[in-house]
Amino acid sequence: MAGEFMTLPNARRFALTDATLPAVLVKGFSGPAREGLIQADIVIADGRIERILPAGAAPAEIVKADMRGGMAWPCFVDMHTHLDKAHFWDRRPNPDGTFMGALENVRADRIANWSAEDIRARFEFSLKSAYAHGTRLIRTHLDSIPPQPDISFPLFAELREEWKDRIALQAVALLPLECVLEPAIFDGIVATTKRYGGLLGGATRILPDFERILDTLFRAAADNGLDVDLHADETEDRQVLTLEAIAEAKLRNRFEGSVTVGHCCSLARQDEETARRVIGKVAEAGISVVSLPMCNMYLQDRHAGATPRWRGVTLFHELTAAGVKTAVASDNTRDPFYAYGDMDPVEVFREAVRILHLDHPLDTSARVVTATPAEILGRPEIGVIAEGAPADLVLFSARRWSEFLSRPQADRIVMRNGMGIDRRLPDYRDLDPLMEK
Ligand SMILES: [Zn+2]
């Protein structure tokens, strides 16, 4: 493609030579690392990675594409998104950028506009962008206030099937947690979630009977073989710390499924002792944490006329050090919760490095948009570079971290099954008919 930094050979078997790989993402090969980066030649045959060899060791007779030190990454994983909400900013923006403004305007737009046709157009726009940027696996939350699940889940199942060779999709029912104690509503949502192979989720806040809500939720998940993915404590309010209750509930119910929590912003507002205690329980419960740095920076500490004084993100380093699986993801894209975004994990990574200080050293940071979210999502074969795996790679002209993190990497090549894909992004004009509503 025009604008890309090199041309891939049109051959059944070829080698990417002198490539730079983040060592933390390479299985079964290692070499001397500098800032976590190693040099290698990658032999590709029939769409698969045949061999990973020391740089310069590719067989003499093979067709070669010289990377000249450029980085090769596995395809990306975006483990927390909202593709049912995406891309309606122009018809219903957030007038003041606050969390309340987001809630109110998403609600109004959902009631007015969220037919299967409307969601499909915006969801697919996101998938096309994500695919062009190099993403291979996405988990989305789906607003699940009845009757929306009956519209969104069947549509999701159709899209999961249509896109299965390009992007693997998972969906979480984002339900209003107060309805968990109303069997007439909750049982229906659980049944729909199970029918379409989803997960149970919701946004926690301080609610009467919160422990009973969590127990009921975990019991329903266990009874139906469903995993759980919750939005937790997306607030600067210190009084709100549901993360501890979630960890206790998982332990109390001996829940054996996978539990993920997103945001956990208010954890960063606690005193040291409280933070340490809660992190210990999260680690003990084996709960994974995904941080959404771009959305948190946008929504948290926003007060009219005032400059924000904190970054909004959770205690990422402390959770990681305690043995908690941690990752970062996009979250919202061009909706009232976040005015921007393009489903580009390179942007998410670049911003995460800056907001969360994932640098100095950067040695293992590449895992946060690749290997770790793939593991959390139960797809550990994705997000790594390994012999025998499909040649699903993202190739960059950038050779070192400072080069990688200083430009948007718009000239990257996305390789799927050993072949470069068309990386053209969808045109915003395609969404114009939806914005006239
Ligand atoms: Zn979210």
Side-chain angles (χ1 to χ4, degrees):
M1 293 297 300
E4 291 174 343
F5 74 96
M6 63 182 270
T7 307
L8 289 177
N10 192 2
R12 186 191 72 77
R13 186 166 180 265
F14 62 95
L16 298 170
T17 59
D18 190 20
T20 300
L21 317 179
V24 68
L25 306 181
V26 182
K27 297 279 171 224
F29 174 84
S30 64
R34 205 178 66 172
E35 282 194 287
L37 300 172
I38 55 177
Q39 304 306 123
D41 290 354
I42 305 173
V43 179
I44 292 166
D46 298 318
R48 291 192 169 265
I49 296 172
E50 183 184 276
R51 296 292 305 279
I52 305 168
L53 300 164
E61 77 286 358
I62 200 169
V63 179
K64 294 185 180 69
D66 188 356
M67 295 274 298
R68 296 185 299 139
M71 285 195 198
W73 286 48
C75 282
F76 302 113
V77 180
D78 206 343
M79 70 165 284
H80 181 125
T81 67
H82 293 266
L83 303 191
D84 56 345
K85 289 190 179 80
H87 295 291
F88 69 77
W89 179 267
D90 286 324
R91 78 179 175 210
R92 184 114 28 197
N94 183 336
D96 59 6
T98 62
F99 196 84
M100 283 316 292
L103 277 180
E104 283 160 18
N105 285 285
V106 164
R107 182 176 165 276
D109 195 75
R110 184 180 66 245
I111 290 166
N113 295 319
W114 289 21
S115 63
E117 189 188 25
D118 177 70
I119 299 175
R120 172 182 272 275
R122 296 183 288 98
F123 199 121
E124 283 211 284
F125 192 94
S126 292
L127 291 177
K128 287 175 188 169
S129 306
Y131 182 66
H133 289 310
T135 297
R136 171 80 185 76
L137 170 61
I138 294 177
R139 178 179 284 178
T140 182
H141 295 258
L142 298 176
D143 275 22
S144 291
I145 298 164
Q148 197 63 50
D150 297 328
I151 300 168
S152 299
F153 269 95
L155 170 68
F156 166 77
E158 281 175 31
L159 289 164
R160 180 175 54 193
E161 178 63 23
E162 289 167 29
W163 278 79
K164 69 175 192 291
D165 295 330
R166 289 167 285 177
I167 297 176
L169 288 167
Q170 301 181 355
V172 185
L174 176 53
L175 51 96
L177 288 176
E178 53 271 32
C179 88
V180 167
L181 298 181
E182 293 179 49
I185 301 174
F186 184 55
D187 293 354
I189 298 175
V190 172
T192 303
T193 305
K194 186 178 183 179
R195 185 176 321 130
Y196 294 102
L199 296 87
L200 288 179
T204 62
R205 55 198 168 84
I206 295 178
L207 291 164
D209 273 338
F210 187 57
E211 287 188 3
R212 201 151 66 87
I213 288 173
L214 288 175
D215 288 344
T216 309
L217 182 83
F218 278 118
R219 214 169 309 125
D223 290 348
N224 291 281
L226 303 175
D227 291 334
V228 173
D229 190 334
L230 294 162
H231 285 64
D233 306 331
E234 190 176 357
T235 174
E236 66 191 55
D237 183 353
R238 287 188 177 80
Q239 304 303 316
V240 179
L241 188 61
T242 65
L243 180 58
E244 184 166 30
I246 295 167
E248 286 171 352
K250 179 173 187 279
L251 293 165
R252 181 170 65 242
N253 287 280
R254 298 192 172 80
F255 181 71
E256 289 180 358
S258 152
V259 177
T260 303
V261 290
H263 295 292
C264 310
C265 307
S266 70
L267 180 62
R269 311 277 287 163
Q270 308 300 321
D271 59 61
E272 288 300 319
E273 193 192 320
T274 308
R276 210 172 8 245
R277 184 185 75 236
V278 174
I279 290 169
K281 282 185 194 170
V282 172
E284 185 193 346
I287 292 174
S288 305
V289 174
V290 58
S291 178
L292 297 311
M294 300 194 309
C295 231
N296 292 160
M297 191 102 137
Y298 178 81
L299 286 172
Q300 299 303 309
D301 207 8
R302 185 184 284 273
H303 305 281
T307 306
R309 296 183 185 207
W310 77 298
R311 297 177 183 212
V313 286
T314 194
L315 297 180
F316 197 87
H317 291 278
E318 293 81 349
L319 286 159
T320 307
V324 175
K325 282 184 191 157
T326 52
V328 300
S330 285
D331 209 4
N332 298 70
T333 307
R334 299 183 67 242
D335 70 30
F337 283 93
Y338 187 57
Y340 319 110
D342 199 32
M343 298 294 293
D344 181 5
V346 171
E347 182 194 16
V348 175
F349 179 69
R350 187 175 62 241
E351 294 303 310
V353 166
R354 293 171 184 177
I355 297 167
L356 287 161
H357 284 182
L358 299 181
D359 47 3
H360 321 310
L362 273 151
D363 295 35
T364 61
S365 296
R367 68 170 186 81
V368 299
V369 289
T370 52
T372 308
E375 243 178 75
I376 295 171
L377 267 51
R379 297 292 304 270
E381 78 283 10
I382 297 176
V384 292
I385 301 176
E387 289 181 357
D392 292 341
L393 301 170
V394 189
L395 311 178
F396 301 95
S397 63
R399 300 163 296 172
R400 293 181 282 278
W401 290 118
S402 179
E403 294 178 357
F404 187 90
L405 291 163
S406 299
R407 286 184 179 169
Q409 306 305 329
D411 61 348
R412 80 191 78 160
I413 291 170
V414 175
M415 177 190 280
R416 298 298 299 272
N417 299 306
M419 310 228 290
I421 66 160
D422 182 347
R423 278 206 62 241
R424 273 174 298 187
L425 290 163
D427 189 331
Y428 290 128
R429 289 165 191 77
D430 298 346
L431 296 169
D432 286 352
L434 302 180
M435 297 306 119
E436 284 154 16
K437 285 180 185 168

